[in-house]
Amino acid sequence: MVHGGDIYTDGIFKGQDLLDFSSNINPLGVPEGFKNNIAEALNNVTRYPDIKYRELLKNLSNYTGTVEENFVLGNGAAEIIDLVISNFKSILIVVPSFVEYEINAKKWGCRIEYSKLLPNMDFDYEDIQNKLTEVEAVIIGNPNNPNGNIIDKNKFESIIEFCEAEGKTIIIDEAFIEFTGSIKNSFIDKIEHNKCTFIIRAITKFFAMPGVRFGYGISSNEGLLNSIREKQNPWNINCFAELAVKYCLKDKEYIDKSLNWIEAERKFFMGEISKISCIDRIFNSFSNFILCRLKNIDENKLYKCCLEKGIIIRKASNFRGLDNSYVRFAIKDRVSNERLIKVLKGIEVINNEFR
Ligand SMILES: Cc1ncc(COP(=O)(O)O)c(C=O)c1O
């Protein structure tokens, strides 16, 4: 298993309805705008989408404040990550991070360098800058998965200047950026004047649509954008994704409700989780998931304990740089969070056995 907990193997295929704390999706669910207008997409199913996706690009441009020429569209952020990485012979990956960065880099035969997060899970800016001299590009999460920390824009400034001057590319994965609550945390304001920046976004997490598969890249580096476009199949975005972009990105009520939920629930969740006896340390998160280091129990035992109670969590040992003493929890709605917390509180050591 490479990604989150496998709800299909452990849950759905066994007819078990699991509470999924392994994948980080907004618990407010599908925005009303999508549900209410689904008939519009159904009407479009029998014809091909606009091969130039003009309306879609206009909607993205309105949402991000970036010109339409700066976008490349993908079947989820995953397609964009894969295709942008394909352009480089060498890449620096900041780790631990989303496992696809490394999988894709290996697939394309890139030489890989790693910059490890510091023990407190902050970025090692000096190390990133030093190692960048040896590679063509760097990929970094903002916020970073699995810990949820964000990039300090002041500390990153000299890295951007260096990459701009040296013709290197900074790929910033902002798949979770909306959960941080402020657009100021995004590097989108750098796009226009810094050709070295390439941002990846998606509707997957914040708008709760992993099944729709829509992500996008933003950059003012025309050469890089065209090189990605040339590798893509025509009509890679379906009419349901077009509908989602049209109605969800301007759904202010959903966005506001989500921001209120994450602000309140992150505080509550971090407070409660930090009191659990088998949790040694929690790492500060600006996103909708929390990385925890365990004590007196490993990820497999904790996974089993939670699964027995109908809950699935994310083991974290397959993130490069972490071991089996880490797990990641999604932040969900209050009722679900309380259910997880109750289960975690109930785990006691009895003769060194966890029950
Ligand atoms: C950091 C990060 N980026 C990108 C993705 C992929 O997103 P999508 O489902 O839009 O392809 C994920 C999925 O878990 C992720 O965690």
Side-chain angles (χ1 to χ4, degrees):
M1 185 198 350
V2 174
H3 289 284
D6 186 352
I7 50 160
Y8 288 94
T9 306
D10 287 331
I12 292 165
F13 293 154
K14 290 181 180 160
Q16 217 187 334
D17 189 15
L18 296 175
L19 185 53
D20 184 9
F21 274 87
S22 73
S23 82
N24 309 311
I25 302 300
N26 185 343
L28 268 64
V30 182
E32 288 300 312
F34 184 79
K35 287 190 219 165
N36 294 343
N37 293 287
I38 196 89
E40 197 177 309
L42 284 177
N43 281 336
N44 292 337
V45 164
T46 51
R47 63 170 179 244
Y48 280 90
D50 172 15
I51 198 159
K52 293 184 178 161
Y53 291 105
R54 281 164 282 201
E55 194 190 356
L56 173 57
L57 286 167
K58 212 159 103 198
N59 292 328
L60 277 184
S61 173
N62 287 340
Y63 179 63
T64 57
T66 311
V67 295
E68 292 160 38
E69 297 76 48
N70 286 349
F71 291 95
V72 61
L73 311 176
N75 192 262
E79 182 187 346
I80 304 294
I81 293 169
D82 185 38
L83 292 183
V84 70
I85 289 177
S86 76
N87 287 281
F88 304 103
K89 292 193 186 71
S90 57
I91 192 161
L92 175 65
I93 305 180
V94 179
V95 290
S97 56
F98 184 45
V99 291
E100 287 295 319
Y101 306 158
E102 184 172 336
I103 292 170
N104 292 152
K106 283 183 175 157
K107 179 173 99 180
W108 295 111
C110 290
R111 180 171 59 75
I112 305 174
E113 300 285 334
Y114 299 96
S115 175
K116 270 193 78 176
L117 298 182
L118 297 167
N120 67 357
M121 298 289 163
D122 199 358
F123 300 102
D124 190 339
Y125 297 95
E126 212 182 309
D127 188 55
I128 293 172
Q129 176 126 26
N130 289 339
K131 288 188 172 148
L132 259 166
T133 55
E134 296 156 31
V135 292
E136 295 177 351
V138 55
I139 185 160
I140 181 167
N142 183 48
N144 190 55
N145 178 7
N147 55 310
N149 202 359
I150 50 172
I151 300 172
D152 181 323
K153 289 179 86 174
N154 288 329
K155 289 185 187 164
F156 212 64
E157 196 54 43
S158 63
I159 295 179
I160 293 182
E161 279 168 19
F162 173 76
C163 289
E164 195 65 26
E166 298 291 320
K168 297 178 189 282
T169 300
I170 308 176
I171 305 161
I172 306 175
D173 183 350
E174 295 193 352
F176 291 96
I177 194 72
E178 284 94 346
F179 293 107
T180 70
S182 171
I183 200 62
K184 289 195 185 129
N185 294 320
S186 170
F187 280 80
I188 199 140
D189 57 336
K190 298 285 175 195
I191 291 291
E192 200 186 327
H193 298 294
N194 296 97
K195 280 195 165 25
C196 67
T197 50
F198 185 97
I199 292 177
I200 298 167
R201 296 266 190 96
I203 62 166
T204 306
K205 314 288 183 179
F206 190 75
F207 295 97
M209 296 196 159
V212 166
R213 311 301 309 134
F214 181 73
Y216 51 101
I218 318 167
S219 177
S220 59
N221 183 339
E222 216 182 304
L224 182 55
L225 291 170
N226 282 336
S227 158
I228 294 171
R229 290 180 187 127
E230 280 161 16
K231 290 173 180 159
Q232 292 185 300
N233 292 320
W235 307 291
N236 61 332
I237 311 302
N238 67 61
C239 59
F240 294 97
E242 286 182 295
L243 187 89
V245 171
K246 181 171 176 183
Y247 290 104
C248 303
L249 300 186
K250 62 179 183 201
D251 191 338
K252 205 165 159 8
E253 198 182 326
Y254 183 88
I255 294 170
D256 287 346
K257 247 171 113 177
S258 302
L259 293 179
N260 289 339
W261 151 76
I262 187 61
E263 197 186 342
E265 219 45 38
R266 187 165 47 215
K267 206 165 154 203
F268 168 78
F269 196 92
M270 287 179 88
E272 288 298 309
I273 286 282
S274 60
K275 293 184 220 154
I276 308 267
S277 62
C278 66
I279 290 177
D280 187 33
R281 181 166 184 185
I282 62 168
F283 297 92
N284 196 24
S285 173
F286 293 81
S287 195
N288 61 329
F289 47 83
I290 309 284
L291 180 70
C292 302
R293 192 172 68 202
L294 304 171
K295 66 176 176 216
N296 301 327
I297 190 166
D298 68 22
E299 58 171 12
N300 290 316
K301 284 186 191 143
L302 189 63
Y303 183 90
K304 203 165 154 264
C305 289
C306 291
L307 192 59
E308 279 165 8
K309 305 283 184 197
I311 292 175
I312 194 156
I313 62 168
R314 176 68 158 95
K315 300 186 220 176
S317 62
N318 77 323
F319 285 102
R320 180 175 287 275
L322 299 184
D323 59 29
N324 66 4
S325 60
Y326 292 86
V327 292
R328 191 194 65 198
F329 302 115
I331 301 173
K332 297 176 79 74
D333 58 283
R334 179 61 60 92
V335 173
S336 304
N337 293 336
E338 283 178 336
R339 211 178 120 191
L340 172 73
I341 287 155
K342 194 165 164 222
V343 167
L344 294 175
K345 280 185 177 161
I347 294 171
E348 291 175 58
V349 191
I350 300 167
N351 296 334
N352 270 340
E353 287 272 310
F354 284 88
R355 302 278 162 92

